[in-house]
């Protein structure tokens, strides 16, 4: 896959959820209508400070953007539609949680030009959803997919979480098949990770839950690859274009591909990161501090990092290698020795002038990254 996603992206972080999932350490606070209105005021100010912007992709993520009211979603989208130059826009994604997507919200999204939805399905088994602390049922996902399609949003991605305690191989296969039955354009498969400060982390610490062994995890991820790449509904199956991401041909997430290729992006909202040239800055994950600064006419508090050209290349190599397209040998020339040794170990291969991970290398991607960072 070599898609044309050499784009400048705009990311908007909506820091609200209707509760906290057991495993999640992403920044979010509980949704409150008045706080969300203030957040939109703040966002408008931050956007004004960032203009002019002419992104090729917009990604509204979170948190749970769909927890906003219809009026708030309309305001957020119209703000972007009017302030940002949209002539170059090829992809506009919004994350939706199955429990908070409805027909009115879908109609607003379609009307302003949102053409892709990433849906946090996570599992199609209600007991596993409960273990994850999700607040939706599998039937909600099925319903929302139909609502989105009826509204005219045809490009739908589903997020799934693998390796959840209690999710047997048979249950996982069922979830994968139910996902495929919805004919999504894109599927992301993340293995459950143990994040500090989460409920899951506490349960694991107390021995009240246990993660799968590394071997069992790889077997679950292999099963996902087999089920998804073989899935056909009139077309070929999904391509695994990045370690955790599968898409029907032409439906790779342009916004993410560009980020993985090291392209520039601007992030707005608390906890959002931006990357321009060698500079990277991340808004602090604190909605109160974010609002206080913008209400006083200042930029939100940020952590700024200046990359060296060598560090930037290292990131490009490590992230680029996660994609099936791999990384051009000329970008990676200073890594030749490391690549040669990884190739001797059967972890990478050279294909049409690009370094790519082998199947074994994909399973050991973290080890490969460590070897390249030495
Ligand atoms: C931050 S979430 C935002 C999307 C949306 N709020 C949702 O819950 O679907 C992005 C993706 O990361 C996944 N994720 C977050 N924490 C994770 C973890 N500890 N292990 C695996 N996946 C995780 C979520 O399940 C979701 O699919
Ligand atoms: S996984 Fe999504 S819904 Fe759950 S707490 Fe994290 S951001 Fe919120």
């Amino acid at each position: 896959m070599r898609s044309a996603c050499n784009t400048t992206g705009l990311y908007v972080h909506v820091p609200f959820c209707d509760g906290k999932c057991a495993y999640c350490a992403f920044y979010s606070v509980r949704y409150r209508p008045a706080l969300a209105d203030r957040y939109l005021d703040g966002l408008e100010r931050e956007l004004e400070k960032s203009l002019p912007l002419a992104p090729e992709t917009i990604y509204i993520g979170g948190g749970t953007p769909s927890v906003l009211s219809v009026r708030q979603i309309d305001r957020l989208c119209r703000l972007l539609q009017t302030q940002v130059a949209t002539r170059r826009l090829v992809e506009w994604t919004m994350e939706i949680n199955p429990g908070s997507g409805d027909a009115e919200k879908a109609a607003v999204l379609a009307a302003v030009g949102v053409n892709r939805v990433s849906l946090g399905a996570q599992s199609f088994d209600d007991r596993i959803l409960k273990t994850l602390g999700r607040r939706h049922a599998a039937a909600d996902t099925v319903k929302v997919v139909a609502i989105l399609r009826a509204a005219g949003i045809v490009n739908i991605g589903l997020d799934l979480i693998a390796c959840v305690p209690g999710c047997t191989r048979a249950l996982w296969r069922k979830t994968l098949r139910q996902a495929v039955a919805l004919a999504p354009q894109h599927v992301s498969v993340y293995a459950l990770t143990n994040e500090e400060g989460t409920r899951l982390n506490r349960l694991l610490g107390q021995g009240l839950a246990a993660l799968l062994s590394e071997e069992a995890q790889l077997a679950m991820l292999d099963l996902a690859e087999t089920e998804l790449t073989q899935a056909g509904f009139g077309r070929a199956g999904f391509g695994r274009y990045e370690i955790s991401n599968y898409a029907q041909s032409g439906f790779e997430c342009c916004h993410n591909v560009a980020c993985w290729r090291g392209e520039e992006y601007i992030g707005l909202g608390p906890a959002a990161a931006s990357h321009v040239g060698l500079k990277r800055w991340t808004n602090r994950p604190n909605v109160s501090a974010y609002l206080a600064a913008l209400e006083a006419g200042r930029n939100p508090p940020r952590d700024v990092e200046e990359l060296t050209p060598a560090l930037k290349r290292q990131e490009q190599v490590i992230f680029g290698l996660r994609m099936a397209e791999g990384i051009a040998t000329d970008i990676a020339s200073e890594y030749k020795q490391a690549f040669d040794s990884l190739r001797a170990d059967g972890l990478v291969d050279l294909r049409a002038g690009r370094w790519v991970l082998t199947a074994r290398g994909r399973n050991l991607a973290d080890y490969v990254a460590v070897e390249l960072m030495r």
Side-chain angles (χ1 to χ4, degrees):
M1 188 273 313
R2 282 289 286 155
S3 59
C5 299
N6 296 312
T7 64
T8 310
L10 172 62
Y11 174 77
V12 177
H13 189 81
V14 179
F16 304 110
C17 291
D18 57 1
K20 197 79 198 163
C21 302
Y23 54 88
C24 180
F26 283 85
Y27 177 66
S28 68
V29 296
R30 187 174 278 277
Y31 170 71
R32 281 183 282 137
L35 183 62
D37 279 331
R38 268 183 76 201
Y39 156 79
L40 290 170
D41 293 339
L43 191 70
E44 186 165 356
R45 291 176 186 222
E46 193 188 13
L47 182 60
E48 278 162 13
K49 286 174 179 291
S50 314
L51 294 174
L53 290 174
E56 288 164 73
T57 59
I58 299 179
Y59 195 107
I60 305 177
T64 305
S66 56
V67 85
L68 296 175
S69 67
V70 177
R71 178 184 58 77
Q72 289 167 335
I73 290 176
D74 188 55
R75 180 177 168 202
L76 168 59
C77 291
R78 288 196 190 280
L79 184 64
L80 296 172
Q81 197 190 34
T82 52
Q83 297 287 72
V84 170
T86 50
R87 63 182 186 283
R88 295 168 54 198
L89 204 61
V90 292
E91 181 188 279
W92 185 348
T93 303
M94 181 157 129
E95 286 179 350
I96 289 189
N97 280 34
S100 55
D102 63 32
E104 247 187 306
K105 292 178 186 176
V108 165
L109 297 178
V112 293
V114 171
N115 57 12
R116 181 173 184 275
V117 160
S118 172
L119 200 57
Q122 318 305 355
S123 173
F124 283 90
D125 184 89
D126 286 342
R127 265 176 316 164
I128 297 299
L129 287 170
K130 215 162 179 183
T131 303
L132 289 169
R134 300 289 295 188
R135 295 158 298 284
H136 74 269
D140 295 325
T141 305
V142 177
K143 201 168 105 193
V144 171
V145 168
I147 286 173
L148 291 168
R149 293 231 167 94
I153 299 176
V154 290
N155 186 357
I156 296 177
L158 299 178
D159 280 6
L160 299 177
I161 297 188
C163 313
V164 180
C167 186
T168 60
R169 197 175 162 79
L171 276 184
W172 178 229
R173 183 183 287 114
K174 215 167 132 198
T175 271
L176 290 163
R177 291 192 176 170
Q178 279 175 277
V180 165
L182 290 176
Q185 280 59 43
H186 190 282
V187 179
S188 302
V189 177
Y190 304 108
L192 183 67
T193 57
N194 178 7
E195 303 292 337
E196 241 170 81
T198 62
R199 262 182 303 164
L200 175 73
N201 179 260
R202 280 194 295 282
L203 290 176
L204 292 168
Q206 293 163 357
L208 297 173
L211 288 184
L212 272 59
S213 69
E214 220 165 283
E215 213 183 359
Q217 292 201 22
L218 287 178
M220 293 291 189
L221 297 177
D222 276 350
L223 181 61
E225 183 182 81
T226 305
E227 290 285 332
L228 294 173
T229 55
Q230 288 175 3
F233 26 88
R235 297 175 178 236
F238 291 91
R240 188 177 185 179
Y241 72 101
E242 195 267 350
I243 289 181
S244 307
N245 287 282
Y246 298 80
Q248 291 190 36
S249 177
F251 288 97
E252 297 83 8
C253 175
C254 226
H255 184 86
N256 287 343
V257 167
C259 293
W260 295 322
R261 285 182 183 160
E263 302 291 339
E264 298 186 338
Y265 51 88
I266 294 289
L268 305 177
S274 304
H275 176 48
V276 177
L278 290 174
K279 213 170 192 167
R280 171 160 324 134
W281 63 95
T282 308
N283 289 343
R284 296 240 170 94
N286 181 330
V287 72
S288 309
Y290 173 84
L291 292 176
L294 285 159
E295 284 164 4
R298 297 190 307 272
N299 274 329
R302 289 168 174 162
D303 295 311
V304 184
E305 193 187 353
E306 186 82 28
L307 300 179
T308 61
L311 196 55
K312 164 112 186 170
R313 274 196 305 283
Q314 185 184 70
E315 288 193 355
Q316 268 179 297
V317 167
I318 286 168
F319 284 105
L321 208 52
R322 289 181 60 91
M323 287 192 286
E325 68 180 27
I327 191 87
T329 46
D330 54 342
I331 295 179
S333 56
E334 68 213 87
Y335 293 91
K336 181 162 185 333
Q337 232 181 349
F339 271 118
D340 283 341
S341 137
L342 290 166
R343 190 186 195 186
D345 291 338
L347 296 170
V348 301
D349 208 352
L350 202 51
R351 208 175 298 149
R354 303 179 71 85
W355 290 111
V356 293
L357 289 173
T358 59
R360 201 167 98 82
R362 273 204 298 273
N363 285 344
L364 294 171
D366 289 345
Y367 168 80
V368 171
V370 170
E371 288 300 299
L372 289 168
M373 281 191 285
R374 272 177 196 265

